[in-house]
Amino acid sequence: MIDVIDLRKSFGGLEVLKGITTTIREGEKVVVVGPSGSGKSTFLRCLNCLEDPTSGSIIFEGVDIADMKVDINIHRRHMGMVFQQFNLFNNKTVLGNIMLAPLHIRLTELRKKKIKNVFIKIYNLFAGNKKPLYETNTTRQQIKQEVRENALRLLKRIGIEDKADAYPSTLSGGQKQRIAIIRALAMNPKVILFDEPTSALDPEMVGEVLDLIRQLADEGMTMVIVTHEMGFAREVATRVLFMDDGQILEENTPDRFFSDPQNPRAREFLSKVL
Amino acid sequence: MGNFDKKIARFWEVFLNQNGYTKVLTGLQNTLTIAVAGLVIGIVIGTVIAAIEVMPKYKRLPRILDGLCAFYVGLFRGTPIVVQLLVTYYVVLPLLGVNMPPVNVCILVFGLNSGAYVSEIMRGGILSVDPGQMEAGRAVGLSYTVTMMKIVVPQAVKNILPTLGNELIVLVKETSVVSFVGAADLYVAFSYIGSNNYEFMVPYLVMALIYIVLVMVIAMFVRIMERSLRKSDRRN
Ligand SMILES: Nc1ncnc2c1ncn2[C@@H]1O[C@H](COP(=O)(O)OP(=O)(O)OP(=O)(O)O)[C@@H](O)[C@H]1O
Ligand SMILES: [Mg+2]
């Protein structure tokens, strides 16, 4: 699903990713661990080009999205991302947060189709073989209604539909992060990238967020998770990547990685955190 | 002080019976129109410039636009507003063959001028918004421009509303030079009253008072706005 080929990233003179090659297959839950500053976040942010790779390729569904010429916005719709700091839109209600992107994208598509239809109609006036028009039967109102219903369904799933009209500043960290997760889900992503989703949470809220991620994992969602929660990593991962100094030093099944790490640096890291 | 009483009596005479008050009302209206419309234009221009200035600069187009914006801001901040009014009214518009009433020229120039200042305020506002907001917008597949306009700018505007209120006060005060191009403001009205009875002390005193009251009223609105904004931060 995602092929990462010799990915490199430098900030100024500092090379943070030093040639990363790996493949993320459909349905996998890849957990990335490693010491602070090893480049885990940068790696994750390169996967959806929030950071533009300095060199190398990110092949997502057959397209190299690291190529600056592709329209990255279209491909990002299929990759959800969940941030350490939640990053809910502060000027939108909970429902507004979830609806914003799907609604905007579908309404824009509808508008584009209508504009194209005008041109096709003009073309059809003169041409012998008529071109078919795009279907524009769903109205803006219907689209709004559908997106809204989907958002409410997702909110119900995490059991806080009563917060639909609340603003993010009034929510607990756990609520914010779960909403951030379903905001990503509302786009029907093929893969979700998590960057330390529980690191900014009070301890008593970590559980509810991990539970939701676990559910998604069980439903077969493809995931890449950067985390310091080793217990969770071991439980949910299908594969563990150990990063240090901008490189993947070990790639292993969770059982083998946690019980018998091969790389000396991985061994040292685990002895510190476990 | 008997002398002063007489001056006041003469002022009232012109103010009430020789059309003084209509001139003052027209002047007040023009002053407020120019300041408010100028600010509105300024906010639109300033937002566009600020959005361009904070754009990432690795493509060529943003760099060119950025250069143009820097030139614009430098031009309008680097010259006195009186000069901008005079040059627009007596040089630029005649050269373009455009004929505009003085008040409209003033609205245009004040708008362009405050656009340069508002762009700085707006840029500060945009930079004060957590970069995570832009990242979250981009991560769900929205473009830079859409995220800017739907997420970042609204939050920036909220942060800078009080400062924009102060900009309005600045504009109200600066309108006192619009008579240079023949727009009838408070100065024109009170000069009329003064020259009608050869007595300028009271008219200009009243003019000063009107400006003070105007500024105080706007400042009060700004404070009320600030307070209600702070409240909405805590809302449910
Ligand atoms: N935008 C940036 N500009 C300059 N340097 C950066 C930038 N982002 C990250 N870095 C540097 O890149 C290195 C790797 O950072 P990164 O955030 O990817 O590490 P990490 O493995 O996620 O660490 P942590 O566990 O602390 O989150 C660090 O040395 C960091 O200072
Ligand atoms: Mg990190």
Side-chain angles (χ1 to χ4, degrees), chain A residues 45 52 73 76 79 87-91 100 104 167 169-170 183 187, chain B residues 58 132-133 135-136 138 140-143 150-151 154-155 233 235-236:
Chain A
R45 293 159 57 82
D52 289 312
N73 297 323
R76 280 209 191 108
M79 304 174 118
N87 294 351
L88 292 183
F89 304 131
N90 293 325
N91 59 329
L100 179 69
H104 176 82
Y167 281 86
S169 59
T170 63
R183 174 177 70 179
M187 299 292 295
Chain B
Y58 34 72
Q133 299 284 309
E135 288 189 350
R138 300 308 308 275
V140 284
L142 299 176
S143 68
K150 293 204 169 197
I151 304 298
Q155 294 181 46
D233 274 340
R235 184 180 53 193
N236 60 3

PDB file of all heavy atoms in Angstrom, chain A residues 45 52 73 76 79 87-91 100 104 167 169-170 183 187, chain B residues 58 132-133 135-136 138 140-143 150-151 154-155 233 235-236:
ATOM      1  N   ARG A  45       5.596  12.045   9.265  1.00  0.00           N
ATOM      2  CA  ARG A  45       5.126  13.244   8.575  1.00  0.00           C
ATOM      3  C   ARG A  45       5.553  13.252   7.112  1.00  0.00           C
ATOM      4  O   ARG A  45       4.932  13.917   6.290  1.00  0.00           O
ATOM      5  CB  ARG A  45       5.625  14.494   9.299  1.00  0.00           C
ATOM      6  CG  ARG A  45       4.989  14.638  10.702  1.00  0.00           C
ATOM      7  CD  ARG A  45       5.814  15.536  11.594  1.00  0.00           C
ATOM      8  NE  ARG A  45       5.990  16.834  11.001  1.00  0.00           N
ATOM      9  CZ  ARG A  45       5.095  17.820  11.065  1.00  0.00           C
ATOM     10  NH1 ARG A  45       3.976  17.620  11.714  1.00  0.00           N
ATOM     11  NH2 ARG A  45       5.316  18.965  10.496  1.00  0.00           N
ATOM     12  N   ASP A  52       8.093  17.658   3.255  1.00  0.00           N
ATOM     13  CA  ASP A  52       8.466  17.192   1.926  1.00  0.00           C
ATOM     14  C   ASP A  52       9.793  16.462   2.013  1.00  0.00           C
ATOM     15  O   ASP A  52      10.774  17.020   2.485  1.00  0.00           O
ATOM     16  CB  ASP A  52       8.599  18.380   0.965  1.00  0.00           C
ATOM     17  CG  ASP A  52       7.235  18.969   0.645  1.00  0.00           C
ATOM     18  OD1 ASP A  52       6.333  18.171   0.319  1.00  0.00           O
ATOM     19  OD2 ASP A  52       7.075  20.188   0.737  1.00  0.00           O
ATOM     20  N   ASN A  73      -3.002  17.062  -2.126  1.00  0.00           N
ATOM     21  CA  ASN A  73      -4.264  17.158  -1.376  1.00  0.00           C
ATOM     22  C   ASN A  73      -5.198  15.991  -1.668  1.00  0.00           C
ATOM     23  O   ASN A  73      -5.923  15.527  -0.801  1.00  0.00           O
ATOM     24  CB  ASN A  73      -4.968  18.468  -1.700  1.00  0.00           C
ATOM     25  CG  ASN A  73      -4.136  19.653  -1.256  1.00  0.00           C
ATOM     26  OD1 ASN A  73      -3.490  19.600  -0.222  1.00  0.00           O
ATOM     27  ND2 ASN A  73      -4.129  20.704  -2.048  1.00  0.00           N
ATOM     28  N   ARG A  76      -3.805  12.886   0.163  1.00  0.00           N
ATOM     29  CA  ARG A  76      -3.893  12.989   1.627  1.00  0.00           C
ATOM     30  C   ARG A  76      -5.280  12.623   2.135  1.00  0.00           C
ATOM     31  O   ARG A  76      -5.439  12.231   3.284  1.00  0.00           O
ATOM     32  CB  ARG A  76      -3.578  14.425   2.071  1.00  0.00           C
ATOM     33  CG  ARG A  76      -2.107  14.715   2.119  1.00  0.00           C
ATOM     34  CD  ARG A  76      -1.833  15.777   3.178  1.00  0.00           C
ATOM     35  NE  ARG A  76      -0.457  16.253   3.064  1.00  0.00           N
ATOM     36  CZ  ARG A  76      -0.152  17.445   2.607  1.00  0.00           C
ATOM     37  NH1 ARG A  76      -1.093  18.295   2.235  1.00  0.00           N
ATOM     38  NH2 ARG A  76       1.104  17.823   2.519  1.00  0.00           N
ATOM     39  N   MET A  79      -5.300   9.312   3.561  1.00  0.00           N
ATOM     40  CA  MET A  79      -4.387   9.029   4.666  1.00  0.00           C
ATOM     41  C   MET A  79      -4.796   9.892   5.840  1.00  0.00           C
ATOM     42  O   MET A  79      -4.647  11.101   5.801  1.00  0.00           O
ATOM     43  CB  MET A  79      -2.959   9.413   4.288  1.00  0.00           C
ATOM     44  CG  MET A  79      -2.427   8.755   3.036  1.00  0.00           C
ATOM     45  SD  MET A  79      -0.806   9.457   2.665  1.00  0.00           S
ATOM     46  CE  MET A  79       0.202   8.009   2.801  1.00  0.00           C
ATOM     47  N   ASN A  87      -4.836  18.861  17.749  1.00  0.00           N
ATOM     48  CA  ASN A  87      -5.037  19.807  16.652  1.00  0.00           C
ATOM     49  C   ASN A  87      -6.464  19.823  16.117  1.00  0.00           C
ATOM     50  O   ASN A  87      -6.689  19.856  14.915  1.00  0.00           O
ATOM     51  CB  ASN A  87      -4.074  19.515  15.487  1.00  0.00           C
ATOM     52  CG  ASN A  87      -2.629  19.763  15.869  1.00  0.00           C
ATOM     53  OD1 ASN A  87      -2.365  20.307  16.951  1.00  0.00           O
ATOM     54  ND2 ASN A  87      -1.705  19.401  15.017  1.00  0.00           N
ATOM     55  N   LEU A  88      -7.434  19.817  17.018  1.00  0.00           N
ATOM     56  CA  LEU A  88      -8.800  20.069  16.560  1.00  0.00           C
ATOM     57  C   LEU A  88      -8.895  21.519  16.118  1.00  0.00           C
ATOM     58  O   LEU A  88      -8.182  22.378  16.630  1.00  0.00           O
ATOM     59  CB  LEU A  88      -9.795  19.802  17.696  1.00  0.00           C
ATOM     60  CG  LEU A  88      -9.947  18.343  18.126  1.00  0.00           C
ATOM     61  CD1 LEU A  88     -11.015  18.225  19.209  1.00  0.00           C
ATOM     62  CD2 LEU A  88     -10.305  17.453  16.946  1.00  0.00           C
ATOM     63  N   PHE A  89      -9.776  21.790  15.146  1.00  0.00           N
ATOM     64  CA  PHE A  89      -9.956  23.175  14.690  1.00  0.00           C
ATOM     65  C   PHE A  89     -10.666  23.961  15.791  1.00  0.00           C
ATOM     66  O   PHE A  89     -11.826  23.705  16.092  1.00  0.00           O
ATOM     67  CB  PHE A  89     -10.772  23.208  13.397  1.00  0.00           C
ATOM     68  CG  PHE A  89     -10.194  22.371  12.295  1.00  0.00           C
ATOM     69  CD1 PHE A  89     -10.980  21.486  11.580  1.00  0.00           C
ATOM     70  CD2 PHE A  89      -8.838  22.473  11.966  1.00  0.00           C
ATOM     71  CE1 PHE A  89     -10.442  20.713  10.558  1.00  0.00           C
ATOM     72  CE2 PHE A  89      -8.300  21.705  10.949  1.00  0.00           C
ATOM     73  CZ  PHE A  89      -9.099  20.821  10.246  1.00  0.00           C
ATOM     74  N   ASN A  90      -9.973  24.933  16.362  1.00  0.00           N
ATOM     75  CA  ASN A  90     -10.506  25.637  17.530  1.00  0.00           C
ATOM     76  C   ASN A  90     -11.724  26.494  17.225  1.00  0.00           C
ATOM     77  O   ASN A  90     -12.520  26.795  18.101  1.00  0.00           O
ATOM     78  CB  ASN A  90      -9.423  26.537  18.130  1.00  0.00           C
ATOM     79  CG  ASN A  90      -8.297  25.732  18.724  1.00  0.00           C
ATOM     80  OD1 ASN A  90      -8.524  24.660  19.276  1.00  0.00           O
ATOM     81  ND2 ASN A  90      -7.076  26.218  18.591  1.00  0.00           N
ATOM     82  N   ASN A  91     -11.853  26.925  15.967  1.00  0.00           N
ATOM     83  CA  ASN A  91     -12.974  27.803  15.627  1.00  0.00           C
ATOM     84  C   ASN A  91     -14.188  27.013  15.133  1.00  0.00           C
ATOM     85  O   ASN A  91     -15.150  27.608  14.669  1.00  0.00           O
ATOM     86  CB  ASN A  91     -12.542  28.812  14.567  1.00  0.00           C
ATOM     87  CG  ASN A  91     -12.047  28.143  13.309  1.00  0.00           C
ATOM     88  OD1 ASN A  91     -11.487  27.056  13.357  1.00  0.00           O
ATOM     89  ND2 ASN A  91     -12.270  28.771  12.169  1.00  0.00           N
ATOM     90  N   LEU A 100     -15.996  19.246   8.320  1.00  0.00           N
ATOM     91  CA  LEU A 100     -15.371  20.263   7.454  1.00  0.00           C
ATOM     92  C   LEU A 100     -14.783  19.709   6.160  1.00  0.00           C
ATOM     93  O   LEU A 100     -15.178  20.105   5.066  1.00  0.00           O
ATOM     94  CB  LEU A 100     -14.287  21.013   8.230  1.00  0.00           C
ATOM     95  CG  LEU A 100     -13.564  22.072   7.393  1.00  0.00           C
ATOM     96  CD1 LEU A 100     -14.488  23.224   7.081  1.00  0.00           C
ATOM     97  CD2 LEU A 100     -12.313  22.572   8.103  1.00  0.00           C
ATOM     98  N   HIS A 104     -16.470  19.968   2.486  1.00  0.00           N
ATOM     99  CA  HIS A 104     -15.821  20.866   1.535  1.00  0.00           C
ATOM    100  C   HIS A 104     -15.455  20.127   0.250  1.00  0.00           C
ATOM    101  O   HIS A 104     -15.688  20.610  -0.854  1.00  0.00           O
ATOM    102  CB  HIS A 104     -14.568  21.477   2.152  1.00  0.00           C
ATOM    103  CG  HIS A 104     -13.802  22.320   1.196  1.00  0.00           C
ATOM    104  ND1 HIS A 104     -14.145  23.630   0.930  1.00  0.00           N
ATOM    105  CD2 HIS A 104     -12.759  22.042   0.382  1.00  0.00           C
ATOM    106  CE1 HIS A 104     -13.342  24.108   0.015  1.00  0.00           C
ATOM    107  NE2 HIS A 104     -12.484  23.175  -0.333  1.00  0.00           N
ATOM    108  N   TYR A 167     -17.438  23.422  21.676  1.00  0.00           N
ATOM    109  CA  TYR A 167     -16.157  23.807  21.068  1.00  0.00           C
ATOM    110  C   TYR A 167     -15.028  23.028  21.733  1.00  0.00           C
ATOM    111  O   TYR A 167     -15.129  22.662  22.904  1.00  0.00           O
ATOM    112  CB  TYR A 167     -15.948  25.315  21.221  1.00  0.00           C
ATOM    113  CG  TYR A 167     -16.737  26.092  20.202  1.00  0.00           C
ATOM    114  CD1 TYR A 167     -18.064  26.452  20.438  1.00  0.00           C
ATOM    115  CD2 TYR A 167     -16.174  26.417  18.968  1.00  0.00           C
ATOM    116  CE1 TYR A 167     -18.795  27.127  19.482  1.00  0.00           C
ATOM    117  CE2 TYR A 167     -16.906  27.098  18.011  1.00  0.00           C
ATOM    118  CZ  TYR A 167     -18.219  27.452  18.264  1.00  0.00           C
ATOM    119  OH  TYR A 167     -18.940  28.107  17.313  1.00  0.00           O
ATOM    120  N   SER A 169     -12.290  23.755  23.093  1.00  0.00           N
ATOM    121  CA  SER A 169     -11.682  24.244  24.330  1.00  0.00           C
ATOM    122  C   SER A 169     -12.398  23.738  25.570  1.00  0.00           C
ATOM    123  O   SER A 169     -11.866  23.837  26.669  1.00  0.00           O
ATOM    124  CB  SER A 169     -11.668  25.773  24.336  1.00  0.00           C
ATOM    125  OG  SER A 169     -12.984  26.262  24.227  1.00  0.00           O
ATOM    126  N   THR A 170     -13.623  23.203  25.393  1.00  0.00           N
ATOM    127  CA  THR A 170     -14.381  22.769  26.567  1.00  0.00           C
ATOM    128  C   THR A 170     -14.266  21.269  26.814  1.00  0.00           C
ATOM    129  O   THR A 170     -14.891  20.759  27.728  1.00  0.00           O
ATOM    130  CB  THR A 170     -15.870  23.098  26.375  1.00  0.00           C
ATOM    131  OG1 THR A 170     -16.335  22.354  25.246  1.00  0.00           O
ATOM    132  CG2 THR A 170     -16.082  24.580  26.117  1.00  0.00           C
ATOM    133  N   ARG A 183     -12.440  12.293  13.241  1.00  0.00           N
ATOM    134  CA  ARG A 183     -12.334  13.288  12.169  1.00  0.00           C
ATOM    135  C   ARG A 183     -11.533  12.687  11.010  1.00  0.00           C
ATOM    136  O   ARG A 183     -11.869  12.861   9.842  1.00  0.00           O
ATOM    137  CB  ARG A 183     -11.649  14.561  12.687  1.00  0.00           C
ATOM    138  CG  ARG A 183     -11.380  15.578  11.590  1.00  0.00           C
ATOM    139  CD  ARG A 183     -10.778  16.846  12.130  1.00  0.00           C
ATOM    140  NE  ARG A 183      -9.407  16.664  12.603  1.00  0.00           N
ATOM    141  CZ  ARG A 183      -8.658  17.637  13.104  1.00  0.00           C
ATOM    142  NH1 ARG A 183      -9.159  18.860  13.214  1.00  0.00           N
ATOM    143  NH2 ARG A 183      -7.427  17.411  13.500  1.00  0.00           N
ATOM    144  N   MET A 187     -13.102  10.662   6.660  1.00  0.00           N
ATOM    145  CA  MET A 187     -12.655  10.739   5.270  1.00  0.00           C
ATOM    146  C   MET A 187     -12.525   9.346   4.645  1.00  0.00           C
ATOM    147  O   MET A 187     -12.062   9.222   3.514  1.00  0.00           O
ATOM    148  CB  MET A 187     -11.289  11.440   5.186  1.00  0.00           C
ATOM    149  CG  MET A 187     -11.284  12.867   5.690  1.00  0.00           C
ATOM    150  SD  MET A 187     -12.227  13.944   4.622  1.00  0.00           S
ATOM    151  CE  MET A 187     -11.244  13.851   3.136  1.00  0.00           C
TER     152      MET A 187
ATOM    153  N   TYR B  58       9.073  28.138  -1.359  1.00  0.00           N
ATOM    154  CA  TYR B  58      10.001  27.455  -2.263  1.00  0.00           C
ATOM    155  C   TYR B  58       9.561  27.449  -3.712  1.00  0.00           C
ATOM    156  O   TYR B  58      10.296  27.022  -4.571  1.00  0.00           O
ATOM    157  CB  TYR B  58      10.388  26.057  -1.781  1.00  0.00           C
ATOM    158  CG  TYR B  58       9.311  25.304  -1.058  1.00  0.00           C
ATOM    159  CD1 TYR B  58       8.211  24.795  -1.732  1.00  0.00           C
ATOM    160  CD2 TYR B  58       9.410  25.120   0.312  1.00  0.00           C
ATOM    161  CE1 TYR B  58       7.225  24.121  -1.042  1.00  0.00           C
ATOM    162  CE2 TYR B  58       8.429  24.443   0.990  1.00  0.00           C
ATOM    163  CZ  TYR B  58       7.345  23.942   0.309  1.00  0.00           C
ATOM    164  OH  TYR B  58       6.367  23.277   0.977  1.00  0.00           O
ATOM    165  N   GLY B 132      -0.188  23.830  14.316  1.00  0.00           N
ATOM    166  CA  GLY B 132      -0.903  22.558  14.269  1.00  0.00           C
ATOM    167  C   GLY B 132      -2.248  22.672  13.567  1.00  0.00           C
ATOM    168  O   GLY B 132      -2.748  21.701  12.991  1.00  0.00           O
ATOM    169  N   GLN B 133      -2.850  23.867  13.588  1.00  0.00           N
ATOM    170  CA  GLN B 133      -4.141  24.064  12.928  1.00  0.00           C
ATOM    171  C   GLN B 133      -3.990  23.928  11.421  1.00  0.00           C
ATOM    172  O   GLN B 133      -4.804  23.292  10.759  1.00  0.00           O
ATOM    173  CB  GLN B 133      -4.699  25.448  13.283  1.00  0.00           C
ATOM    174  CG  GLN B 133      -4.955  25.644  14.760  1.00  0.00           C
ATOM    175  CD  GLN B 133      -6.210  24.923  15.201  1.00  0.00           C
ATOM    176  OE1 GLN B 133      -7.264  25.064  14.615  1.00  0.00           O
ATOM    177  NE2 GLN B 133      -6.077  24.118  16.253  1.00  0.00           N
ATOM    178  N   GLU B 135      -1.527  22.326   9.929  1.00  0.00           N
ATOM    179  CA  GLU B 135      -1.158  20.933   9.650  1.00  0.00           C
ATOM    180  C   GLU B 135      -2.378  20.024   9.647  1.00  0.00           C
ATOM    181  O   GLU B 135      -2.519  19.159   8.780  1.00  0.00           O
ATOM    182  CB  GLU B 135      -0.163  20.436  10.703  1.00  0.00           C
ATOM    183  CG  GLU B 135       1.197  21.065  10.536  1.00  0.00           C
ATOM    184  CD  GLU B 135       2.231  20.426  11.428  1.00  0.00           C
ATOM    185  OE1 GLU B 135       1.857  19.624  12.299  1.00  0.00           O
ATOM    186  OE2 GLU B 135       3.413  20.737  11.236  1.00  0.00           O
ATOM    187  N   ALA B 136      -3.282  20.243  10.625  1.00  0.00           N
ATOM    188  CA  ALA B 136      -4.461  19.390  10.693  1.00  0.00           C
ATOM    189  C   ALA B 136      -5.321  19.576   9.449  1.00  0.00           C
ATOM    190  O   ALA B 136      -5.857  18.609   8.905  1.00  0.00           O
ATOM    191  CB  ALA B 136      -5.267  19.717  11.951  1.00  0.00           C
ATOM    192  N   ARG B 138      -4.266  20.520   6.446  1.00  0.00           N
ATOM    193  CA  ARG B 138      -3.590  19.889   5.313  1.00  0.00           C
ATOM    194  C   ARG B 138      -3.693  18.372   5.407  1.00  0.00           C
ATOM    195  O   ARG B 138      -3.836  17.687   4.402  1.00  0.00           O
ATOM    196  CB  ARG B 138      -2.100  20.296   5.267  1.00  0.00           C
ATOM    197  CG  ARG B 138      -1.838  21.777   5.120  1.00  0.00           C
ATOM    198  CD  ARG B 138      -2.563  22.423   3.973  1.00  0.00           C
ATOM    199  NE  ARG B 138      -2.386  21.762   2.690  1.00  0.00           N
ATOM    200  CZ  ARG B 138      -1.362  21.972   1.870  1.00  0.00           C
ATOM    201  NH1 ARG B 138      -0.419  22.826   2.196  1.00  0.00           N
ATOM    202  NH2 ARG B 138      -1.285  21.339   0.726  1.00  0.00           N
ATOM    203  N   VAL B 140      -6.089  16.527   6.482  1.00  0.00           N
ATOM    204  CA  VAL B 140      -7.351  15.956   6.014  1.00  0.00           C
ATOM    205  C   VAL B 140      -7.590  16.251   4.547  1.00  0.00           C
ATOM    206  O   VAL B 140      -8.683  16.029   4.029  1.00  0.00           O
ATOM    207  CB  VAL B 140      -8.578  16.433   6.837  1.00  0.00           C
ATOM    208  CG1 VAL B 140      -8.631  15.723   8.167  1.00  0.00           C
ATOM    209  CG2 VAL B 140      -8.595  17.935   7.001  1.00  0.00           C
ATOM    210  N   GLY B 141      -6.580  16.779   3.866  1.00  0.00           N
ATOM    211  CA  GLY B 141      -6.685  16.917   2.412  1.00  0.00           C
ATOM    212  C   GLY B 141      -7.178  18.270   1.934  1.00  0.00           C
ATOM    213  O   GLY B 141      -7.461  18.447   0.757  1.00  0.00           O
ATOM    214  N   LEU B 142      -7.286  19.248   2.853  1.00  0.00           N
ATOM    215  CA  LEU B 142      -7.656  20.591   2.403  1.00  0.00           C
ATOM    216  C   LEU B 142      -6.413  21.298   1.871  1.00  0.00           C
ATOM    217  O   LEU B 142      -5.305  21.052   2.339  1.00  0.00           O
ATOM    218  CB  LEU B 142      -8.257  21.393   3.560  1.00  0.00           C
ATOM    219  CG  LEU B 142      -9.531  20.800   4.173  1.00  0.00           C
ATOM    220  CD1 LEU B 142      -9.987  21.625   5.373  1.00  0.00           C
ATOM    221  CD2 LEU B 142     -10.643  20.753   3.125  1.00  0.00           C
ATOM    222  N   SER B 143      -6.612  22.197   0.910  1.00  0.00           N
ATOM    223  CA  SER B 143      -5.462  22.904   0.350  1.00  0.00           C
ATOM    224  C   SER B 143      -4.987  23.983   1.318  1.00  0.00           C
ATOM    225  O   SER B 143      -5.671  24.310   2.294  1.00  0.00           O
ATOM    226  CB  SER B 143      -5.857  23.556  -0.969  1.00  0.00           C
ATOM    227  OG  SER B 143      -6.765  24.602  -0.718  1.00  0.00           O
ATOM    228  N   LYS B 150     -10.469  29.055   6.020  1.00  0.00           N
ATOM    229  CA  LYS B 150     -11.523  28.499   6.873  1.00  0.00           C
ATOM    230  C   LYS B 150     -11.079  28.283   8.311  1.00  0.00           C
ATOM    231  O   LYS B 150     -11.911  28.241   9.208  1.00  0.00           O
ATOM    232  CB  LYS B 150     -12.009  27.159   6.297  1.00  0.00           C
ATOM    233  CG  LYS B 150     -12.718  27.340   4.971  1.00  0.00           C
ATOM    234  CD  LYS B 150     -13.656  26.199   4.694  1.00  0.00           C
ATOM    235  CE  LYS B 150     -14.520  26.578   3.515  1.00  0.00           C
ATOM    236  NZ  LYS B 150     -15.707  25.769   3.393  1.00  0.00           N
ATOM    237  N   ILE B 151      -9.802  28.083   8.524  1.00  0.00           N
ATOM    238  CA  ILE B 151      -9.340  27.734   9.863  1.00  0.00           C
ATOM    239  C   ILE B 151      -8.439  28.809  10.471  1.00  0.00           C
ATOM    240  O   ILE B 151      -8.686  29.296  11.570  1.00  0.00           O
ATOM    241  CB  ILE B 151      -8.561  26.395   9.844  1.00  0.00           C
ATOM    242  CG1 ILE B 151      -9.423  25.292   9.243  1.00  0.00           C
ATOM    243  CG2 ILE B 151      -8.086  26.010  11.233  1.00  0.00           C
ATOM    244  CD1 ILE B 151     -10.678  25.000  10.015  1.00  0.00           C
ATOM    245  N   PRO B 154      -9.854  32.943  10.449  1.00  0.00           N
ATOM    246  CA  PRO B 154     -10.868  33.253  11.466  1.00  0.00           C
ATOM    247  C   PRO B 154     -10.290  33.325  12.878  1.00  0.00           C
ATOM    248  O   PRO B 154     -10.662  34.191  13.662  1.00  0.00           O
ATOM    249  CB  PRO B 154     -11.854  32.086  11.342  1.00  0.00           C
ATOM    250  CG  PRO B 154     -11.708  31.601   9.962  1.00  0.00           C
ATOM    251  CD  PRO B 154     -10.262  31.809   9.593  1.00  0.00           C
ATOM    252  N   GLN B 155      -9.370  32.419  13.202  1.00  0.00           N
ATOM    253  CA  GLN B 155      -8.770  32.464  14.532  1.00  0.00           C
ATOM    254  C   GLN B 155      -7.858  33.673  14.678  1.00  0.00           C
ATOM    255  O   GLN B 155      -7.785  34.291  15.741  1.00  0.00           O
ATOM    256  CB  GLN B 155      -7.984  31.177  14.801  1.00  0.00           C
ATOM    257  CG  GLN B 155      -8.891  29.963  14.890  1.00  0.00           C
ATOM    258  CD  GLN B 155      -8.118  28.692  15.174  1.00  0.00           C
ATOM    259  OE1 GLN B 155      -7.260  28.647  16.046  1.00  0.00           O
ATOM    260  NE2 GLN B 155      -8.416  27.637  14.446  1.00  0.00           N
ATOM    261  N   ASP B 233     -14.295  32.339  24.833  1.00  0.00           N
ATOM    262  CA  ASP B 233     -13.249  31.323  24.936  1.00  0.00           C
ATOM    263  C   ASP B 233     -13.638  30.247  25.935  1.00  0.00           C
ATOM    264  O   ASP B 233     -13.242  29.104  25.826  1.00  0.00           O
ATOM    265  CB  ASP B 233     -11.930  31.960  25.399  1.00  0.00           C
ATOM    266  CG  ASP B 233     -11.162  32.512  24.223  1.00  0.00           C
ATOM    267  OD1 ASP B 233     -11.454  32.075  23.100  1.00  0.00           O
ATOM    268  OD2 ASP B 233     -10.284  33.353  24.433  1.00  0.00           O
ATOM    269  N   ARG B 235     -16.840  29.577  26.719  1.00  0.00           N
ATOM    270  CA  ARG B 235     -18.217  29.140  26.519  1.00  0.00           C
ATOM    271  C   ARG B 235     -18.342  27.620  26.458  1.00  0.00           C
ATOM    272  O   ARG B 235     -17.477  26.947  25.932  1.00  0.00           O
ATOM    273  CB  ARG B 235     -18.748  29.779  25.228  1.00  0.00           C
ATOM    274  CG  ARG B 235     -20.186  29.477  24.960  1.00  0.00           C
ATOM    275  CD  ARG B 235     -20.589  30.146  23.674  1.00  0.00           C
ATOM    276  NE  ARG B 235     -19.660  29.783  22.603  1.00  0.00           N
ATOM    277  CZ  ARG B 235     -19.623  30.413  21.444  1.00  0.00           C
ATOM    278  NH1 ARG B 235     -20.394  31.431  21.227  1.00  0.00           N
ATOM    279  NH2 ARG B 235     -18.779  30.030  20.508  1.00  0.00           N
ATOM    280  N   ASN B 236     -19.515  27.140  26.915  1.00  0.00           N
ATOM    281  CA  ASN B 236     -19.828  25.713  27.112  1.00  0.00           C
ATOM    282  C   ASN B 236     -18.812  24.753  26.512  1.00  0.00           C
ATOM    283  O   ASN B 236     -18.730  24.510  25.364  1.00  0.00           O
ATOM    284  CB  ASN B 236     -21.226  25.372  26.593  1.00  0.00           C
ATOM    285  CG  ASN B 236     -21.394  25.658  25.109  1.00  0.00           C
ATOM    286  OD1 ASN B 236     -20.450  26.059  24.437  1.00  0.00           O
ATOM    287  ND2 ASN B 236     -22.573  25.464  24.595  1.00  0.00           N
TER     288      ASN B 236
END
